[in-house]
Each structure stands twice: as structure tokens, then as C-alpha cells.
């Protein structure tokens, strides 16, 4: 009914957080005079989560429009017309919506961990190559 609103809300929050973090990272990068870091900034990784959430929310919203659960007139959610349906909608948001948002976030966290390990290994290999060693 409206489960897509939970990942959409998380997408809004992560988009704002990524923008704020990106601005802070740019400010701190300008203050540093040393060589730029080779690591991918966390704001970029947070944008990955944001993109996953926006894409999933858009697909879910389309599916709900397709089934007539989202309508182009007020109150926009067909479940809001009846109080009994509204209770079911809130229950669905609390169960399915939260579960979907948590699953997407968990998959993103796993991807960030894997990427971090790959990044660390690449930096170690680059450092070893600079010193003339092999890893």
C-alpha cells in the first residue's frame, strides 16, 4: 500500500547527509596541502546507498500505481480513504517498508566493507610497489 514511503524517507535523509558530508570533505580537502588521498570519500559511498534507495522506491511506487494503490487525486493513497485500510497501511509500512529499507542498507554496508577491503589491498600493493617490494 505505502511501503515504498519508508525507503523513500531514508533516501531523502541519505541524500541530504551525502550533500552535507561532501561539502565538509571538500572544505577539509582544500585545507590540506598534502597529496590527495587515494581512498574514495565516504560521501560517494553514501551516494551509492541513496541511489539504491531512490531506484527501489521508484520501482515500488510504480508497482503501487499499477495496482491502483496510489492515485492521482487526494488523498493519493487509496488506503487513506478508509480508517481500517489506513491501519493496515501503517502496519505494512512498519513491517514490509522497514524490512526493505534495512535489507537495502545491509546490502550497501556489505558492499562498502568489500570495497574497503579491496581499496586497502590496492593501497598496500601501491605502497609496496613504491618501495620495490612484492606483495
Amino acid at each position: 500500500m505505502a511501503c515504498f514511503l519508508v525507503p523513500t524517507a531514508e533516501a531523502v535523509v541519505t541524500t541530504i547527509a551525502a550533500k552535507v558530508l561532501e561539502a565538509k570533505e571538500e572544505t577539509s580537502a582544500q585545507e590540506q596541502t598534502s597529496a590527495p588521498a587515494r581512498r574514495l570519500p565516504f560521501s560517494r559511498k553514501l551516494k551509492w546507498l541513496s541511489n539504491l534507495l531512490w531506484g527501489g522506491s521508484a520501482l515500488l511506487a510504480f508497482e503501487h500505481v499499477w495496482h491502483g494503490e496510489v492515485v492521482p487525486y487526494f488523498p493519493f493513497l487509496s488506503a487513506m480513504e478508509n480508517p481500517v485500510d489506513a491501519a493496515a497501511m501503517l502496519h505494512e509500512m512498519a513491517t514490509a517498508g522497514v524490512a526493505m529499507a534495512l535489507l537495502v542498507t545491509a546490502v550497501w554496508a556489505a558492499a562498502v566493507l568489500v570495497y574497503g577491503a579491496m581499496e586497502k589491498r590496492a593501497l598496500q600493493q601501491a605502497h609496496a610497489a613504491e618501495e620495490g617490494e612484492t606483495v
Side-chain angles (χ1 to χ4, degrees), residues 112-124:
V112 167
L113 288 174
V114 168
Y115 185 83
M118 292 170 51
E119 195 174 44
K120 183 178 178 180
R121 182 177 171 98
L123 287 173
Q124 287 174 344

Side-chain angles (χ1 to χ4, degrees), residues 47-48 57 91 94 120:
K47 284 181 184 179
W48 296 346
S57 298
H91 181 265
K120 183 178 178 180

Side-chain angles (χ1 to χ4, degrees), residues 1-8 60 64 89 92-93 96-98 100:
M1 289 179 214
C3 59
F4 68 93
L5 294 177
V6 176
T8 302
L60 283 168
H64 286 297
M89 176 193 69
E92 180 183 323
M93 288 171 66
V98 170
M100 287 186 291

Side-chain angles (χ1 to χ4, degrees), residues 4-20:
F4 68 93
L5 294 177
V6 176
T8 302
E10 185 181 356
V12 168
V13 170
T14 57
T15 300
I16 293 169
K19 296 283 184 189
V20 169

Side-chain angles (χ1 to χ4, degrees), residues 23-123:
K24 286 183 180 181
E25 289 169 349
E26 286 177 7
T27 302
S28 67
Q30 290 173 355
E31 292 172 359
Q32 294 177 351
T33 58
S34 62
R38 295 182 187 170
R39 289 189 171 264
L40 193 63
F42 187 72
S43 63
R44 173 75 66 85
K45 295 173 186 174
L46 198 55
K47 284 181 184 179
W48 296 346
L49 175 59
S50 180
N51 290 339
L52 287 170
L53 290 165
W54 280 117
S57 298
L59 288 173
L60 283 168
F62 175 75
E63 185 269 336
H64 286 297
V65 169
W66 186 267
H67 288 106
E69 296 167 349
V70 176
V71 291
Y73 50 85
F74 188 79
F76 304 111
L77 299 171
S78 60
M80 294 295 289
E81 295 172 357
N82 183 347
V84 175
D85 291 339
M89 176 193 69
L90 292 173
H91 181 265
E92 180 183 323
M93 288 171 66
T95 55
V98 170
M100 287 186 291
L102 289 175
L103 179 64
V104 169
T105 304
V107 169
W108 167 80
V112 167
L113 288 174
V114 168
Y115 185 83
M118 292 170 51
E119 195 174 44
K120 183 178 178 180
R121 182 177 171 98
L123 287 173

